[in-house]
């Protein structure tokens, strides 16, 4: 069994609203382009899967050597630092006031982890986005 982190309700609610609104803007103005399949509304993995399938078929038909590398991204969002989150948000031209508001939601957080033996002692989260955090989709 994998331990989970319980997120504070207020922060989770605020981030959910921010993410929902930011998602609408990102989709409306097509801000994330190219290979940025970020799980936005209306997106799917169909396009990258179709592209990969076409590459494989081309290699088969033309007897070409093909190397494919897959990266396991299950824990990718556990390691997104607040510094990198700030850079990503500024890169898509989110107002600095909004960026600082979001970052402040994650600074000096106290958390406990639920395990099969009960709650752990409280500790301060140093840096990064929690697993399962709603903003993870946009990072």
């Amino acid at each position: 069994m994998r331990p989970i982190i319980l997120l504070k309700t207020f922060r989770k609610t605020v981030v959910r609203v921010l993410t929902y609104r930011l998602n609408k803007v990102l989709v409306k103005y097509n801000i994330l382009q190219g290979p940025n399949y970020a799980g936005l509304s209306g997106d799917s993995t169909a396009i990258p899967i179709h592209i990969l399938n076409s590459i494989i078929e081309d290699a088969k038909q033309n007897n070409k050597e093909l190397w494919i590398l897959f990266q396991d991204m299950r824990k990718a969002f556990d390691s997104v630092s607040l510094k990198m989150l700030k850079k990503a948000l500024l890169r898509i031209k989110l107002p600095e006031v909004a960026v600082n508001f979001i970052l402040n939601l994650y600074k000096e957080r106290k958390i406990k982890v639920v395990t099969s033996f009960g709650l752990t002692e409280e500790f301060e989260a140093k840096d990064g986005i929690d697993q399962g955090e709603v903003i993870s989709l946009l990072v």
Side-chain angles (χ1 to χ4, degrees):
M1 186 164 113
R2 187 174 180 191
I4 61 169
I5 297 175
L6 298 178
L7 304 171
K8 295 210 181 251
T9 306
F10 173 75
R11 185 180 75 239
K12 191 169 183 177
T13 303
V14 168
V15 173
R16 171 79 63 190
V17 171
L18 286 172
T19 302
Y20 175 77
R21 291 181 178 181
L22 184 56
N23 181 49
K24 286 173 64 173
V25 171
L26 293 174
V27 169
K28 181 177 179 179
Y29 296 104
N30 199 23
I31 292 171
L32 297 178
Q33 300 175 7
N36 292 311
Y37 303 104
L40 298 174
S41 297
D43 281 354
S44 85
T45 57
I47 292 171
I49 289 172
H50 177 72
I51 291 168
L52 183 59
N53 189 50
S54 296
I55 292 169
I56 293 169
E57 288 301 316
D58 179 66
K60 282 182 184 178
Q61 289 175 0
N62 297 307
N63 201 24
K64 296 178 184 176
E65 183 175 357
L66 176 65
W67 290 60
I68 299 175
L69 172 70
F70 290 97
Q71 184 173 3
D72 185 355
M73 300 298 288
R74 283 182 294 181
K75 296 189 63 107
F77 299 119
D78 288 349
S79 60
V80 175
S81 73
L82 295 181
K83 181 179 176 182
M84 294 310 293
L85 174 60
K86 181 177 184 176
K87 286 183 177 197
L89 295 174
L90 289 173
R91 185 172 187 275
I92 62 171
K93 299 187 180 10
L94 200 64
E96 195 159 344
V97 140
V99 171
N100 290 332
F101 178 77
I102 292 169
L103 294 176
N104 284 331
L105 290 172
Y106 294 101
K107 289 182 180 173
E108 299 176 16
R109 295 172 291 135
K110 304 282 186 201
I111 57 177
K112 294 181 181 183
V113 179
V114 177
T115 69
S116 57
F117 303 104
L119 289 175
T120 64
E121 293 293 320
E122 185 176 87
F123 61 94
E124 185 175 330
K126 295 294 181 192
D127 192 21
I129 303 298
D130 296 329
Q131 177 185 358
E133 182 63 66
V134 291
I135 201 164
S136 299
L137 295 175
L138 300 177
V139 178

